[in-house]
Amino acid sequence: MMQHSLATFTIITLVGVCQALIPATPGQQTRRAIISTRDTISKIREANKPPRIYIDYLIPLPPATSDADIDPWPGGLAQQYPYAEEIVREILAGVVEDSTPEKCSSQVISASDCCGLYIQESPNSPGLDVAAIVFPSPDQLENMKQIEQMVGDKRAMIVFNRQYTRAADFGFFKKGESQQFLDRFEWAFAFQEIACRGEDVKLTFEQSTGWKASVIDENGQEIDVMDDSWDTATRPDYLELEKKINEIIPEPLWMRKMGEVQEKGFKFQRKQ
């Protein structure tokens, strides 16, 4: 999981600029989220469509987190919310041109579900305001529909770190209604982490590159596991990702760890 201090990852060249596949620091993640979100909103507006976008932000673990912690967020979303609020305010101030943090207002949508609404006002035009809903769950479907109606077609609406992934999450009787709502949204930025074949996999989406996937191995090295044939507009499929990892990294993590033990011994037995 991402923490405030991260190892330096392998650097690759993207469009002539040296940039790691994944953000190396929270500050870098925020900057990349702002750039990609602005680019996505511009692209959608050029297509004369209402800007409706997702942001998945990997919230840094608390500074006091240690490797021994089984759950770094024992307080759940309630513990994460103050961190998320600071991040959202910074992103919104960066997305809305010429705006300042003081121009951001907020209100609670659901205290029990830790869901809130933030609106960043533009000093140039009300049509350039941006609204962001933080941590919405399926229980907030009606709230999200009402907010979208309030936002209108010109203003951008961001769903930040949604607590659902598909229409089925909203229940059988609301599957059709929720699917119509979800179909209006597209990705602006994502930094996600999953486990695949026991490996630490990071998935990212940015408007300039599309979806990317990389494995962070036991030495902290960043290994690109994207296949050239994959559509970067679509999030990598789990089974295809597993197949690609088997191809690039034949030995699973447990086998590599066993090799390390045979070579160096158990950690408590090592002199250094």
Side-chain angles (χ1 to χ4, degrees):
M1 293 185 177
M2 184 179 181
Q3 300 190 41
H4 284 278
S5 58
L6 291 176
T8 301
F9 298 109
T10 303
I11 303 300
I12 65 172
T13 301
L14 292 174
V15 198
V17 179
C18 288
Q19 177 173 273
L21 277 170
I22 67 173
T25 65
Q28 189 179 105
Q29 183 181 185
T30 297
R31 288 191 295 272
R32 288 167 67 166
I34 290 171
I35 293 170
S36 187
T37 300
R38 293 181 70 165
D39 290 347
T40 303
I41 292 174
S42 296
K43 185 201 75 170
I44 295 173
R45 283 181 171 148
E46 288 175 1
N48 293 317
K49 296 192 300 181
R52 304 289 183 263
I53 57 180
Y54 290 127
I55 292 179
D56 260 15
Y57 191 104
L58 189 57
I59 299 175
L61 299 179
T65 302
S66 69
D67 293 337
D69 291 331
I70 298 176
D71 182 3
W73 299 106
L77 293 180
Q79 185 183 359
Q80 293 183 35
Y81 198 92
Y83 296 88
E85 178 177 30
E86 182 180 346
I87 293 163
V88 167
R89 288 182 178 275
E90 186 174 357
I91 290 175
L92 288 176
V95 168
V96 179
E97 190 173 359
D98 299 328
S99 194
T100 61
E102 293 74 27
K103 291 288 184 179
C104 185
S105 59
S106 65
Q107 69 180 76
V108 175
I109 302 299
S110 171
S112 59
D113 291 332
C114 301
C115 178
L117 171 66
Y118 295 80
I119 299 177
Q120 185 75 36
E121 296 181 17
S122 168
N124 302 319
S125 169
L128 299 177
D129 294 349
V130 177
I133 307 176
V134 178
F135 294 159
S137 72
D139 291 339
Q140 278 77 58
L141 177 60
E142 292 304 318
N143 296 116
M144 288 190 286
K145 290 170 63 177
Q146 292 171 6
I147 291 169
E148 188 197 22
Q149 186 175 13
M150 174 198 72
V151 167
D153 291 343
K154 291 186 178 180
R155 298 183 181 91
M157 176 176 170
I158 298 171
V159 169
F160 183 92
N161 284 24
R162 59 185 180 160
Q163 302 301 299
Y164 55 86
T165 58
R166 56 184 181 171
D169 294 337
F170 292 80
F172 179 79
F173 294 104
K174 290 188 176 182
K175 186 176 180 180
E177 177 187 358
S178 58
Q179 187 63 63
Q180 291 181 351
F181 179 77
L182 299 185
D183 286 344
R184 300 171 198 162
F185 287 79
E186 61 183 85
W187 286 102
F189 177 82
F191 184 16
Q192 305 168 346
E193 59 181 5
I194 64 171
C196 184
R197 206 207 64 176
E199 304 289 349
D200 178 14
V201 178
K202 299 292 192 293
L203 301 174
T204 61
F205 177 88
E206 294 174 80
Q207 188 59 228
S208 60
T209 60
W211 284 98
K212 297 293 181 183
S214 60
V215 166
I216 308 303
D217 69 11
E218 64 276 18
N219 299 313
Q221 295 300 307
E222 182 178 318
I223 304 171
D224 186 357
V225 292
M226 285 291 289
D227 190 281
D228 292 338
S229 66
W230 294 351
D231 180 6
T232 57
T234 304
R235 187 177 186 270
D237 175 75
Y238 182 91
L239 293 179
E240 289 297 322
L241 194 57
E242 184 179 43
K243 181 180 178 181
K244 191 64 179 179
I245 291 173
N246 286 333
E247 176 187 322
I248 296 177
I249 315 172
E251 286 191 348
L253 180 60
W254 66 267
M255 190 177 296
R256 302 198 302 271
K257 288 289 188 181
M258 286 298 295
E260 182 182 356
V261 169
Q262 291 176 357
E263 180 181 346
K264 300 180 180 179
F266 291 104
K267 286 186 177 181
F268 61 84
Q269 295 176 320
R270 300 174 193 174
K271 295 181 180 179
Q272 293 183 348

